[in-house]
Amino acid sequence: MITFNSKGMRAKKIALLTISLLVIWIYPCSAQQRTIERIYISTDRALYIAGETIWLSLYCFDLSKEMHQFSDLSKVAYVELRNAGSLVTSAKLRIDKGRGGGMLQLPASLPTGNYRLIAYTKQMLNEATPCFFDKVIPIYNTLSTERIDENVFVGDDLLPQTQTEISRISSNHIDVKWNGDKIVMTNKSDQAITLNLSIARVDIPVALDRSIIDFMEVNKPKQAEVTFNTLYIPEYEGEIIRGRVKNVNGVQSREHLIFLSTVGTGIDIYSATADAVTGEFSFFTKSLLEKNEIVLEYPGAAEATFELIDPFVRPPVAPAPPLFLDKTFESALVQRSMEMQVSKYFGIDTLFERVNVPDGPPLFTGKPIIYHLDDYTRFPTMQDIVIEF
């Protein structure tokens, strides 16, 4: 048995009071050191044709420290492709130690115009003034004349005309001229000369894309000016799937535990508790990747119906800058459109069957795969046929 005298008890109270004050003082200081995330996304192209795929490479930085580094907090990023009035398409990208990637499939029916690519994490939404990633994406539809209202301007002389004569490089040696469809070089000297010629094509103009260095400099926050709310739980393990039981009054007398799983070969089950009043629930997942169907079960309540809450916040965005169309774009756009159509039809016109990839070399692994050569008549050479196998 341990006993304390009055002096010991007084010392104990002082120690507890000191610890309490220390905790109270440390907490607000640590709260000010919250992770300040910023997202930067690079795309595989500067402009797109409706129907193409936008490939995305994502960088998530933690700017709360003096040395900028990848953020290890958020595991999910939300990407939206927007026009002035609505959401066109969206995607959720997995983040692993600040890096992620994915794709957006553009609908073939998109009207021509400039669009905005928006990206954010739930941690970014907790800032009092969220700073979203924003990038202008020009999209052209060569199979339709539909355009975004008040965003596209058409003309024949929107670009400066091609220069018909190039300045003389050296009056004593050579002249270089552009003669409509060819370059004419004339050696003005009486001896053979060595010449390096560089040619550049004026391509379709695109919106200026801010480099990652410029992006970091512009979006560098001032620690004292960033304040946080507690509207969203940071997704530090995986996506948080939220929803509600719609007919909560009919099922509130039953058990409130709900289960979520995905359709597939693996076993991935999560459980959550439904609020007895609102019916709301949240699943904290960590391994739901790719496109999978999910199944919700409320044991003992066959009449329960569910509603999942949309995780995309659709923040207000400024109108995109206007897109200018010129006759000089036509040839390049038609070429891109043909490439897009061929790619899609080639993906449909296949004669293969999906099989599981073996772990080892494909030798003596069971029943052999038989190919009928009569089914492969697309290519004239055996080498191309083997490649298609």
Side-chain angles (χ1 to χ4, degrees):
M1 183 176 64
I2 302 175
T3 60
F4 293 94
N5 56 26
S6 59
K7 184 176 181 180
M9 290 297 292
R10 187 181 301 110
K12 182 179 179 181
K13 291 179 179 179
I14 293 175
L16 290 175
L17 179 61
T18 302
I19 293 174
S20 300
L21 291 176
L22 183 61
V23 171
I24 295 174
W25 180 78
I26 289 177
Y27 178 76
C29 293
S30 62
Q32 296 300 320
Q33 299 298 322
R34 291 185 179 181
T35 301
I36 302 176
E37 290 184 335
R38 293 291 182 268
I39 284 179
Y40 180 86
I41 291 180
S42 61
T43 56
D44 61 324
R45 292 181 172 182
L47 61 92
Y48 293 88
I49 302 295
E52 288 183 333
T53 300
I54 301 179
W55 292 98
L56 310 169
S57 182
L58 181 143
Y59 306 80
C60 184
F61 295 98
D62 178 5
L63 303 188
S64 60
K65 303 177 177 61
E66 292 186 5
M67 295 297 293
H68 299 334
Q69 60 188 29
F70 287 127
S71 173
D72 199 25
L73 177 65
S74 294
K75 297 298 183 290
V76 182
Y78 297 85
V79 180
E80 303 178 8
L81 185 67
R82 305 276 299 278
N83 59 24
S86 62
L87 176 68
V88 173
T89 185
S90 60
K92 290 174 282 188
L93 304 185
R94 174 75 176 179
I95 303 177
D96 185 12
K97 297 180 180 179
R99 290 288 282 116
M103 54 170 282
L104 285 174
Q105 183 63 52
L106 297 178
S109 59
L110 278 183
T112 298
N114 274 334
Y115 294 77
R116 288 192 178 276
L117 187 69
I118 309 296
Y120 51 88
T121 64
K122 291 300 175 65
Q123 173 67 3
M124 292 168 61
L125 296 178
N126 282 324
E127 296 184 28
T129 306
C131 182
F132 301 96
F133 172 80
D134 188 349
K135 178 179 181 177
V136 176
I137 302 289
I139 298 176
Y140 298 86
N141 193 328
T142 60
L143 305 178
S144 171
T145 59
E146 186 179 0
R147 305 183 182 99
I148 298 179
D149 295 336
E150 301 180 357
N151 182 257
V152 181
F153 296 91
V154 182
D156 295 331
D157 299 309
L158 298 178
L159 290 180
Q161 296 300 316
T162 304
Q163 190 174 355
T164 58
E165 182 174 343
I166 302 176
S167 300
R168 181 177 297 174
I169 297 176
S170 173
S171 59
N172 297 327
H173 294 88
I174 190 169
D175 283 337
V176 181
K177 293 183 180 180
W178 169 253
N179 187 16
D181 59 348
K182 60 184 177 180
I183 296 176
V184 178
M185 296 180 293
T186 305
N187 186 357
K188 304 294 290 185
S189 68
D190 55 359
Q191 297 179 355
I193 62 175
T194 300
L195 175 68
N196 293 323
L197 179 65
S198 176
I199 302 174
R201 184 183 72 174
V202 178
D203 209 342
I204 303 172
V206 297
L208 294 178
D209 193 8
R210 183 178 297 165
S211 69
I212 191 169
I213 297 177
D214 294 338
F215 169 82
M216 295 285 288
E217 187 63 29
V218 171
N219 290 277
K220 183 178 181 180
K222 295 181 180 179
Q223 190 78 22
E225 296 179 359
V226 178
T227 57
F228 286 89
N229 301 314
T230 56
L231 299 176
Y232 297 90
I233 300 175
E235 295 175 312
Y236 52 86
E237 286 189 331
E239 182 184 0
I240 300 176
I241 299 178
R242 300 176 59 241
R244 63 176 62 92
V245 183
K246 296 189 66 173
N247 53 339
V248 64
N249 293 331
V251 296
Q252 64 180 356
S253 60
R254 305 178 186 273
E255 295 293 334
H256 304 314
L257 198 62
I258 299 177
F259 295 95
L260 178 146
S261 63
T262 58
V263 177
T265 57
I267 299 177
D268 207 355
I269 300 176
Y270 300 92
S271 63
T273 302
D275 186 272
V277 178
T278 64
E280 294 187 356
F281 53 83
S282 298
F283 292 98
F284 294 84
T285 70
K286 61 180 180 179
S287 59
L288 298 183
L289 303 175
E290 301 180 352
K291 289 185 177 181
N292 294 308
E293 294 184 2
I294 62 173
V295 178
L296 290 171
E297 183 182 3
Y298 201 172
E303 68 276 14
T305 57
F306 307 95
E307 177 186 17
L308 294 181
I309 299 174
D310 189 354
F312 295 93
V313 299
R314 296 173 173 80
V317 296
L323 179 66
F324 297 97
L325 289 179
D326 190 275
K327 285 289 186 181
T328 56
F329 304 167
E330 184 175 0
S331 177
L333 291 176
V334 170
Q335 178 67 24
R336 282 279 297 272
S337 177
M338 291 297 295
E339 294 171 359
M340 178 271 295
Q341 295 176 64
V342 169
S343 175
K344 286 192 172 298
Y345 280 107
F346 186 79
I348 296 174
D349 182 22
T350 56
L351 292 173
F352 71 90
E353 181 179 355
R354 294 179 181 271
V355 295
N356 294 327
V357 178
D359 295 332
L363 301 175
F364 310 106
T365 56
K367 185 178 180 181
I369 301 175
I370 299 176
Y371 297 93
H372 299 282
L373 289 180
D374 290 340
D375 293 338
Y376 293 85
T377 59
R378 188 207 319 265
F379 301 111
T381 66
M382 182 61 70
Q383 179 182 359
D384 293 332
I385 295 176
V386 172
I387 291 175
E388 187 174 19
F389 285 168

